[in-house]
Amino acid sequence: MEQAAHPLRSTAPGRNAADLRALSAMIGDARVVGLGEATHGSHEFFTMKERLFRHLVEEKGFTTFALELSWSAGLEIDEYLQTGKGDGRQIAKRVLANSPWDREEFVSLITWMRDYNRRHPQRTVHFMGDDIGAPSINDAFFARVTGYAQRTHPESLPRLNELYAGMRPIDDVFAYIRKPMAERQRLADKAQQALDLIAGRKDSQSKAGPGCGSGSGCGSGSGAEGDAYAWAVQHAQFIAQTTKFLTMDVNDPASVTAAQRFRDEVMARNVIWWQRRTGHKILLSAQNDHVSYKAGDPELYPKTQGSFLRDMVGRNYLPIGFTFYQGSFLSKDAALTGDWKEFTVGAPKPTTNEYVLDKVRHRDFYLDVRHTPPAARAWLNTTRPTRNIGTEFPHPDARVAIARSFDVLIHLHKVSAATKTKP
């Protein structure tokens, strides 16, 4: 592995990027790059995301940062990036509240993106949320759909409002899933009917008119005549996706597994919709399991977002995984009800992937797992215990064969807890 490893000099953004040149070559012509995280709350994973995104923007023409965040919340951040309206810190604080990314590291990323757009108004960068669920499925988001109907087919507006009645806003997922199952199923059926109603108005493309930007309810990145229809359908699709996902029975493991498979497929489809609609190259940020070809917990994630992306775009998708030897992170002692707390882990057991990876002479490094000497390749293809920490800790180690999950791996010797967003 030392023959294949490239030293990583820093995870901090704004440093000399010479040590990333080999990583650029590994990424090649991929149009969607998945960048994982082995915890949902470590400073170095988050800052490395900003560092790599800056590099990809400046050197390889990337223009969108996608996050495992709701589609609606992503639009709110992107509208700030495009217009500068509002206070970026307060928008981030509100939109990212209670999420793993309610951290100063993401405020830094958003601040850099807005500054970049001020300096490059002809080639701006964008932020998208590819996930389903709350927050930000508020009245203003529903108005992106109903407002479109009012402008283009006002006769359909009463029916649309009727279908969405009792559904909006969806701003608290945990409160929503406490609704009786029959009610959640009824609302999901109505959301699908609303989607069908909007999607059936294909002739709306000729009526939408130009100048339909994100602030008008059409969606971020639009503007050409006819874009309004596509964005309105995508917004209605997101509402239907979310309500369908929230029909899962949290007390039934089979239902939860099916819902997670649906969620990963939806995230992949949203990313590819954005990529094809805008033509942007995308850096996709999510937990390791979601960007990988194969999850470390296949019972919970039977088919990952990364696997769906590979099916959809082939070699145009490239996943990068993270591992770490020791350090601190933020997680919860109960995924659904706990608060974010700091945890620390020491050296891993000798039977783990991390134990051997840390024997490489570089403190921090990355390697292309597709092109390693035969002995290393065989080792990387073997399943072993691996830390893969999400929204709950303690959690059993995942079972990961690195070469079957990722194309590129970044290994860090030590990580520290991410910083809570300041008021």
Side-chain angles (χ1 to χ4, degrees):
M1 282 190 289
E2 285 188 350
Q3 295 179 36
H6 296 265
L8 181 66
R9 303 302 182 192
S10 175
T11 60
R15 303 294 180 90
N16 185 301
D19 60 327
L20 298 181
R21 289 173 185 162
L23 185 56
S24 288
M26 294 172 191
I27 289 170
D29 296 327
R31 302 194 65 81
V32 180
V33 174
L35 182 56
E37 55 203 38
T39 78
H40 259 335
S42 290
H43 171 80
E44 289 76 10
F45 296 148
F46 292 169
T47 56
M48 186 62 192
K49 295 190 181 202
E50 179 180 343
R51 186 180 188 221
L52 182 56
F53 183 62
R54 289 194 194 189
H55 178 71
L56 293 177
V57 168
E58 293 166 349
E59 301 297 330
K60 294 186 76 70
F62 278 60
T63 44
T64 291
F65 184 92
L67 180 63
E68 184 189 342
L69 180 74
S70 74
W71 172 267
S72 51
L75 291 177
E76 290 197 39
I77 295 173
D78 193 58
E79 286 170 358
Y80 164 72
L81 296 180
Q82 306 312 312
T83 67
K85 294 179 180 178
D87 182 289
R89 172 174 290 276
Q90 293 305 314
I91 292 170
K93 181 69 178 175
R94 174 175 53 79
V95 171
L96 301 175
N98 302 316
S99 78
W101 309 286
D102 181 12
R103 308 287 172 244
E104 282 296 317
E105 292 82 357
F106 276 88
V107 173
S108 173
L109 169 66
I110 292 167
T111 299
W112 179 83
M113 293 175 74
R114 177 57 196 155
D115 288 344
Y116 181 91
N117 286 352
R118 288 193 189 97
R119 291 180 280 111
H120 302 86
Q122 303 306 315
R123 183 182 176 275
T124 60
V125 292
H126 292 261
F127 191 107
M128 77 161 289
D130 69 340
D131 207 348
I132 51 186
S136 300
I137 315 182
N138 50 27
D139 286 339
F141 183 81
F142 277 91
R144 294 177 184 270
V145 182
T146 59
Y148 166 79
Q150 186 173 25
R151 291 191 305 275
T152 59
H153 281 277
E155 72 280 1
S156 67
L157 184 61
R159 176 57 178 161
L160 195 59
N161 282 327
E162 178 186 347
L163 291 169
Y164 283 147
M167 188 184 308
R168 56 187 181 188
I170 308 174
D171 54 4
D172 185 341
V173 166
F174 301 115
Y176 191 95
I177 61 177
R178 286 195 291 269
K179 296 177 184 286
M181 178 61 75
E183 181 180 358
R184 282 184 277 153
Q185 186 62 60
R186 179 180 62 83
L187 293 174
D189 291 343
K190 286 192 170 185
Q192 182 61 46
Q193 292 176 51
L195 169 60
D196 294 341
L197 179 62
I198 291 294
R201 298 294 192 256
K202 291 185 179 179
D203 58 323
S204 302
Q205 296 185 55
S206 62
K207 301 180 181 182
C212 183
S214 59
S216 65
C218 306
S220 177
S222 57
E225 184 173 355
D227 253 6
Y229 169 77
W231 285 92
V233 170
Q234 176 64 13
H235 298 329
Q237 178 84 266
F238 165 68
I239 296 171
Q241 291 166 345
T242 297
T243 54
K244 179 178 179 180
F245 175 76
L246 293 176
T247 60
M248 71 172 169
D249 182 352
V250 296
N251 297 311
D252 179 358
S255 178
V256 173
T257 296
Q260 291 292 4
R261 186 186 192 280
F262 173 72
R263 178 188 171 210
D264 271 59
E265 180 177 7
V266 163
M267 289 194 290
R269 292 192 180 281
N270 287 342
V271 167
I272 296 307
W273 185 93
W274 180 287
Q275 197 280 318
R276 289 173 176 167
R277 190 74 198 175
T278 64
H280 295 180
K281 291 184 178 180
I282 299 172
L283 179 65
L284 166 63
S285 169
Q287 209 270 348
N288 273 349
D289 268 346
H290 293 301
V291 303
S292 67
Y293 294 134
K294 184 176 181 181
D297 185 356
E299 290 186 5
L300 182 59
Y301 300 109
K303 187 172 174 68
T304 64
Q305 179 184 21
S307 179
F308 282 113
L309 287 169
R310 180 173 57 178
D311 292 346
M312 294 174 187
V313 297
R315 293 183 179 179
N316 275 318
Y317 176 66
L318 179 138
I320 303 174
F322 263 114
T323 54
F324 72 106
Y325 184 74
Q326 62 185 340
S328 302
F329 52 89
L330 300 174
S331 191
K332 299 181 179 183
D333 50 18
L336 296 180
T337 59
D339 296 322
W340 291 97
K341 302 175 183 178
E342 183 173 336
F343 298 90
T344 300
V345 294
K349 296 179 180 179
T351 53
T352 65
N353 277 317
E354 295 92 341
Y355 182 86
V356 175
L357 288 166
D358 213 65
K359 298 296 183 183
V360 171
R361 69 178 181 270
H362 308 300
R363 177 180 174 88
D364 300 328
F365 65 90
Y366 58 89
L367 57 84
D368 188 332
V369 301
R370 300 165 299 180
H371 303 104
T372 55
R377 180 71 180 177
W379 187 88
L380 291 163
N381 265 303
T382 303
T383 301
R384 293 181 189 82
T386 309
R387 286 174 177 152
N388 196 34
I389 301 160
T391 55
E392 187 171 6
F393 187 82
H395 190 275
D397 283 346
R399 300 284 300 175
V400 176
I402 292 169
R404 298 178 190 177
S405 294
F406 308 107
D407 288 337
V408 175
L409 180 74
I410 301 174
H411 177 76
L412 305 181
H413 174 70
K414 190 173 184 179
V415 298
S416 57
T419 306
K420 178 72 175 177
T421 304
K422 300 173 184 176

